Structures are given as C-alpha cells and as structure tokens.
C-alpha cells in the first residue's frame, strides 16, 4: 500500500477545539480543565477588583471633599464611626479613636501621643493595602505557572502521540498531525490563562500603589494637623502651670 492509500484510508480527525479536547488523553484533559478553571478564577478576581477599586476611589473622593470642606473633625468622626469605612476614612477614624482615647483620663499626658498616632496611621494604611491586594497573588501565580503547566500537557500529549505512532507503525503526517494539534492545545490554553492574568496583575498592582500613595499623603497631612493640635494643648498646659 502506497502512502496515498494510507492517507485516504485514515479516518478524518476532528480538528475542532472541542474535538481535539475530547480526543486528548485523560491527563491532558485534566490539565486543560485546570487551566480553564484557573482562567475563570482570574477573571472573577479581575472583575471583583475593578468593582472594589471603583467604589474605593469614589469613597475616597467623597471623604476628601468632606474632610477639606471645613467640617468639625469631631462631627466627622461621629458620623464615620457609626458606619463601615474604607480608604482614607479608615485612617481618619483610627487616628481619631486614638486621639480621643488619650483624653479619656483626666490629666492625660501628651508624651508619645504623636508617635502613637503615626503608628496607628501606618497600621491602618497597611490594613487597607492588604484588603486591596487580597487575591492578587492568584493572578501572579497563574501568570507565572500556567504556561509551564500547559507545556507539560503538550509534552505529555506529544509523548502519547508518538507512542501511538510507534504502535501503528504509520508515520504519515495525516496520522501525526491530529495528535500534535491536541497536545499543542494545552499550551494555547495555558497562554490564554496566563496572558490576561499577567496584564491585569500589573495593572491592578499599579492602581493599588496609587491608592497607597494617596493614603500616605493624607496620613502625612492629617498627622500635621494633629501635631499642631498637640502643640496647642501642650502650650495651653504650660500657660496654666505658669
């Protein structure tokens, strides 16, 4: 039998994506399903983060508008302490809570108050950044590992294809091509999962960094305001003592 007769006699392979998936080995199928699941998880995180970042940006804009409007800090603290806060509002509430705690005892000393307020602001920023960054590690993990997992599926699929070729003793391209296409599909799915994960991880990390810089700037400004208040109270105590 000449090669043309072999090709004609070979069954037509289903080279659609679904057909290649169904014809792949069990291990390669599991790898493909795992990569698709990882991709879906990444997209869920991406959508969730964009919703969270949008609401955080709006909340911070509203807070800054109210904070710099001249409203009393006591009134603003009373309003915000009764609701759930995010971003700068959380920094403000935490610092004001420490500020008010220092006045609960009669004759309370202002020694170390500014350092405590700075610490509260730093801890609040760290907590807010941690909330914003939560689950971004999943995107980084998928971006770095998905291509290699897909490559493993491809290598395994090629090995399976070559074993089938050896068993059938038929090296016709029409026989080899379907198996190779099925194997390469795993790499394609790995890249499909990794590329968006990498792009959005970098993008979202940049947004988090801008939020952090914005909160740190507010913390510095608010710390200066409280520092002036501390100096005012200390000066008043010295005048009364004199």
């Amino acid at each position: 039998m000449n090669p043309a007769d072999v090709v004609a006699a070979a069954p037509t392979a289903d080279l659609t994506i679904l057909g290649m998936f169904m014809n792949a080995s069990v291990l390669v199928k599991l790898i493909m399903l795992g990569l698709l699941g990882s991709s879906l998880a990444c997209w869920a995180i991406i959508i969730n983060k964009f919703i969270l970042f949008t609401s955080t940006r709006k909340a911070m804009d509203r807070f800054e508008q109210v904070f710099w409007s001249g409203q009393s800090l006591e009134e603003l603290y009373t309003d915000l302490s009764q609701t759930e806060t995010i971003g700068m509002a959380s920094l403000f509430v935490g610092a004001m809570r420490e500020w008010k705690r220092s006045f609960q005892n009669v004759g309370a000393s202002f020694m170390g108050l500014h350092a405590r307020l700075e610490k509260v602001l730093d801890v609040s920023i760290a907590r807010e950044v941690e909330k914003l960054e939560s689950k971004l590690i999943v995107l980084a993990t998928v971006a770095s590992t998905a291509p290699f997992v897909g490559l493993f599926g491809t290598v395994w699929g090629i090995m399976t294809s070559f074993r089938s070729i050896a068993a059938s003793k038929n090296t016709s391209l029409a026989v080899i091509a379907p198996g190779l296409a099925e194997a390469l599909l795993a790499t394609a799915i790995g890249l499909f999962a990794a590329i968006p994960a990498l792009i959005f991880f970098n993008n979202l990390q940049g947004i988090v960094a801008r939020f952090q810089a914005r909160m740190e700037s507010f913390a510095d400004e608010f710390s200066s305001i409280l520092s002036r208040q501390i100096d005012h109270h200390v000066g008043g105590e010295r005048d009364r003592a004199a």
Side-chain angles (χ1 to χ4, degrees):
M1 182 181 294
N2 61 44
D5 295 333
V6 172
V7 173
T12 303
D14 185 358
L15 294 180
T16 63
I17 293 178
L18 180 60
M20 289 188 292
F21 172 79
M22 296 304 297
N23 292 328
S25 65
V26 174
L27 179 60
V28 177
K29 284 180 181 177
L30 291 175
I31 290 173
M32 290 180 183
L33 290 174
L35 291 171
L36 288 173
S38 299
S39 180
L40 290 175
C42 287
W43 281 108
I45 293 171
I46 291 165
I47 294 171
N48 175 265
K49 286 302 176 183
F50 273 111
I51 294 173
L52 173 63
F53 290 173
T54 300
S55 63
T56 300
R57 184 181 295 105
K58 290 180 179 178
M60 291 173 70
D61 290 341
R62 287 195 301 268
F63 172 78
E64 276 195 312
Q65 184 177 5
V66 174
F67 181 83
W68 297 111
S69 66
Q71 182 179 354
S72 167
L73 296 182
E74 290 288 342
E75 293 178 0
L76 184 57
Y77 171 73
T78 301
D79 294 339
L80 293 177
S81 61
Q82 299 173 355
T83 60
E84 184 178 357
T85 56
I86 58 175
M88 295 177 188
S90 295
L91 274 63
F92 172 80
V93 170
M96 286 297 294
R97 186 177 292 118
E98 179 63 30
W99 173 269
K100 294 178 73 66
R101 193 177 293 130
S102 299
F103 289 94
Q104 287 179 351
N105 298 324
V106 178
S109 173
F110 289 98
M111 293 296 295
L113 175 56
H114 188 263
R116 293 198 301 274
L117 290 172
E118 290 278 2
K119 191 66 175 178
V120 168
L121 289 170
D122 289 341
V123 171
S124 297
I125 290 173
R127 287 176 179 171
E128 292 303 308
V129 171
E130 184 179 0
K131 291 178 185 177
L132 295 171
E133 286 183 335
S134 65
K135 298 181 180 178
L136 287 185
I137 188 65
V138 176
L139 299 183
T141 302
V142 172
S144 60
T145 60
F148 297 102
V149 174
L151 182 60
F152 172 72
T154 296
V155 171
W156 188 270
I158 291 174
M159 289 170 56
T160 302
S161 180
F162 281 146
R163 284 199 299 268
S164 300
I165 292 169
S168 64
K169 297 180 180 180
N170 187 348
T171 59
S172 170
L173 184 60
V175 176
I176 298 174
L180 296 180
E182 295 160 11
L184 291 171
L185 180 61
T187 296
I189 295 176
L191 294 174
F192 175 78
I195 292 173
L198 178 61
I199 292 172
F200 283 103
F201 172 76
N202 292 330
N203 181 266
L204 295 174
Q205 277 289 91
I207 296 175
V208 171
R210 289 193 290 273
F211 277 135
Q212 183 176 358
R214 192 173 173 184
M215 286 187 286
E216 288 174 350
S217 177
F218 168 77
D220 291 340
E221 293 174 328
F222 188 43
S223 178
S224 298
I225 293 173
L226 294 179
S227 180
R228 286 194 293 271
Q229 292 290 330
I230 292 171
D231 293 342
H232 175 73
H233 282 284
V234 171
E237 286 185 353
R238 288 175 180 172
D239 292 341
R240 286 193 297 270

